[in-house]
């Protein structure tokens, strides 16, 4: 059996579909209010901050995928994320299950360095520190030999359905609402965005590749690394109209942070938009050459089709 811990978000749902399509029908869905993704799924509602519930959630699993997300609330992250990670690691060790940790890039330096699996962690904010600690927990367990695990790391999302990201909010939601698009800080810096279904497909592939474990893998992105100016120009062609946008300077976000909790929570992420953000996925591409990465063109076309169908 393969178990998805935190399966109600976009990554977890797509992962459940991909596992069903290509790997197994023996899938357990775990979340606070678990719901089936596939007809054959088993569901288990659990609060993973409770160690006993985490152990029960993983029981009988060959592989457990940690795709759990929390709202963008630093205080909540500090209270729950590390506790949940400790509980899940312990649950996997007790149940002799492999752990697949779906990770992000918050712990990386937010400058123009090309990011590889070997890039040192240099977080600049509290959320980054928490993600650093979570990743290090997994890496330390791997090093000790007490846990068979793998880290699947993804940059910022863009995509269909439940996908939540700055790009989806400021660009695709704005297109849908016929509003002027917004770009944070710069429209000329290279960006790395991952199509959410690709992130889930790649995670399922790594999770079902035994020799991929005990390592960190950068999940695959469109290699063109378009900047926002180029990305929006491409979207304009696909939507068949000129999509106008404005670049929002840093001081506007700083002012917004005084009045909006969400804007305040975004502050530590802003440096990534000041600099080129190139996410190197060459290790994955070399190991899995047959994996078809969704191009920006195809991804944007799919988002457009989804918007028009509603």
């Amino acid at each position: 059996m393969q178990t998805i811990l935190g399966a109600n978000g976009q990554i977890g749902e797509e992962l459940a579909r991909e596992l069903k399509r290509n790997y197994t029908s023996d899938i357990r869905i775990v979340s606070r209010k678990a719901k089936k993704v596939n007809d054959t799924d088993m569901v288990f509602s659990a609060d993973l901050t409770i160690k006993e519930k985490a152990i029960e959630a993983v029981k009988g699993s060959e592989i457990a995928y940690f795709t759990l997300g929390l709202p963008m609330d630093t205080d909540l992250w500090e209270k729950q994320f590390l506790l949940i990670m400790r509980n899940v690691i312990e649950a996997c060790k007790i149940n002799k299950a492999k752990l697949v940790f779906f990770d992000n890039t918050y712990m990386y330096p937010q400058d123009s360095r090309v990011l590889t699996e070997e890039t040192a962690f240099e977080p600049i904010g509290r959320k980054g520190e928490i993600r650093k600690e979570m990743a290090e927990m997994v890496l330390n367990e791997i090093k000790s030999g007490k846990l068979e695990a793998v880290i699947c790391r993804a940059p910022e999302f863009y995509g269909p359905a439940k996908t939540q990201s700055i790009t989806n909010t400021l660009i695709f939601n704005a297109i849908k609402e016929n509003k002027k698009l917004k770009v944070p800080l710069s429209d000329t810096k290279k960006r790395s965005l991952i199509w959410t279904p690709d992130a889930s497909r790649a995670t399922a592939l790594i999770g079902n590749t035994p020799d991929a474990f005990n390592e960190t893998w950068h999940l695959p992105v469109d290699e063109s690394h378009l900047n926002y100016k180029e990305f929006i120009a491409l979207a304009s062609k696909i939507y068949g109209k000129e999509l106008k946008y404005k670049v929002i300077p840093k001081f506007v976000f700083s002012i917004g942070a005084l009045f909006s909790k969400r804007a305040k929570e975004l502050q530590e992420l802003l440096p990534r938009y000041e600099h080129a953000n190139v996410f190197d996925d060459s290790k994955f591409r070399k190991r899995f050459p047959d994996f078809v990465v969704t191009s920006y063109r195809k991804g944007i076309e799919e988002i457009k089709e989804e918007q028009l169908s509603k």
Side-chain angles (χ1 to χ4, degrees):
M1 179 169 59
Q2 300 195 22
T3 294
I4 304 173
L5 306 170
N8 281 32
Q10 180 70 359
I11 296 299
E13 286 190 4
E14 293 285 356
L15 176 59
R17 295 187 187 100
E18 178 65 12
L19 291 176
K20 169 72 172 177
R21 275 192 299 264
N22 289 310
Y23 301 100
T24 181
S25 295
D26 195 7
I27 301 167
R28 178 187 290 151
I29 302 293
V30 179
S31 65
R32 285 180 181 265
K33 295 180 181 179
K35 297 178 182 178
K36 288 186 177 184
V37 177
N38 309 297
D39 290 343
T40 54
D41 293 342
M42 294 169 282
V43 295
F44 184 82
S45 295
D47 178 353
L48 296 177
T49 64
I50 301 170
K51 182 178 176 181
E52 292 74 19
K53 288 292 185 181
I55 294 169
E56 192 176 351
V58 176
K59 187 176 181 180
S61 304
E62 177 188 355
I63 303 170
Y65 298 85
F66 187 112
T67 63
L68 185 143
L70 291 175
M72 192 66 75
D73 182 326
T74 303
D75 292 336
L76 182 65
W77 281 33
E78 289 181 335
K79 290 176 183 175
Q80 293 193 4
F81 249 150
L82 297 177
L83 174 59
I84 291 171
M85 178 56 82
R86 280 193 291 270
N87 289 345
V88 168
I89 287 173
E90 194 62 24
C92 288
K93 289 162 70 174
I94 288 170
N95 289 296
K96 295 180 170 49
K98 297 178 181 179
L99 174 63
V100 179
F101 175 39
F102 186 87
D103 199 10
N104 65 26
T105 61
Y106 287 15
M107 75 297 294
Y108 279 152
Q110 294 190 32
D111 53 28
S112 295
R113 277 174 278 182
V114 174
L115 301 175
T116 74
E117 288 87 350
E118 304 305 317
T119 298
F121 297 165
E122 295 179 21
I124 64 168
R126 290 162 66 197
K127 287 185 283 294
E129 288 285 354
I130 292 164
R131 298 302 302 202
K132 172 179 178 285
E133 288 187 50
M134 292 172 73
E136 287 179 341
M137 279 187 200
V138 177
L139 293 170
N140 288 337
E141 291 291 342
I142 291 171
K143 189 174 181 180
S144 73
K146 296 178 181 177
L147 177 70
E148 192 168 0
V150 64
I151 295 176
C152 299
R153 186 164 289 137
E156 184 186 339
F157 303 147
Y158 84 106
K162 292 182 178 180
T163 300
Q164 296 184 32
S165 69
I166 291 176
T167 297
N168 261 53
T169 299
L170 298 184
I171 293 180
F172 293 110
N173 290 0
I175 294 173
K176 184 177 181 180
E177 296 165 5
N178 282 317
K179 295 181 178 178
K180 194 170 188 177
L181 283 56
K182 298 176 182 176
V183 169
L185 277 61
S186 173
D187 63 347
T188 60
K189 306 297 184 183
K190 292 184 177 181
R191 306 239 46 80
S192 297
L193 302 173
I194 191 165
W195 178 247
T196 46
D198 281 4
S200 297
R201 287 195 301 122
T203 298
L205 175 58
I206 289 170
N208 287 277
T209 303
D211 65 9
F213 276 75
N214 300 326
E215 297 182 43
T216 296
W217 295 86
H218 276 187
L219 301 181
V221 299
D222 184 310
E223 286 186 296
S224 63
H225 303 290
L226 298 181
N227 61 38
Y228 274 126
K229 184 176 183 178
E230 296 164 332
F231 188 82
I232 293 171
L234 176 59
S236 294
K237 291 180 181 178
I238 291 167
Y239 277 84
K241 60 182 179 181
E242 182 185 2
L243 297 171
K244 296 183 178 181
Y245 68 93
K246 59 181 176 181
V247 177
I248 309 300
K250 184 187 287 187
F251 80 87
V252 173
F253 285 98
S254 298
I255 294 170
L258 299 175
F259 305 98
S260 164
K261 180 175 175 58
R262 178 170 174 76
K264 184 178 180 180
E265 292 288 350
L266 289 174
Q267 289 297 296
E268 73 176 79
L269 306 181
L270 289 178
R272 74 167 69 175
Y273 299 95
E274 285 184 287
H275 306 282
N277 174 239
V278 177
F279 186 78
D280 183 349
D281 62 3
S282 56
K283 175 181 174 181
F284 180 94
R285 288 175 180 271
K286 184 176 180 181
R287 176 62 181 80
F288 302 104
D290 295 331
F291 187 96
V292 179
V293 180
T294 301
S295 68
Y296 281 140
R297 175 175 291 278
K298 186 174 180 182
I300 295 169
E301 286 173 347
E302 188 167 326
I303 291 172
K304 176 190 173 186
E305 289 173 12
E306 182 184 61
Q307 290 178 343
L308 291 174
S309 69
K310 291 182 179 180

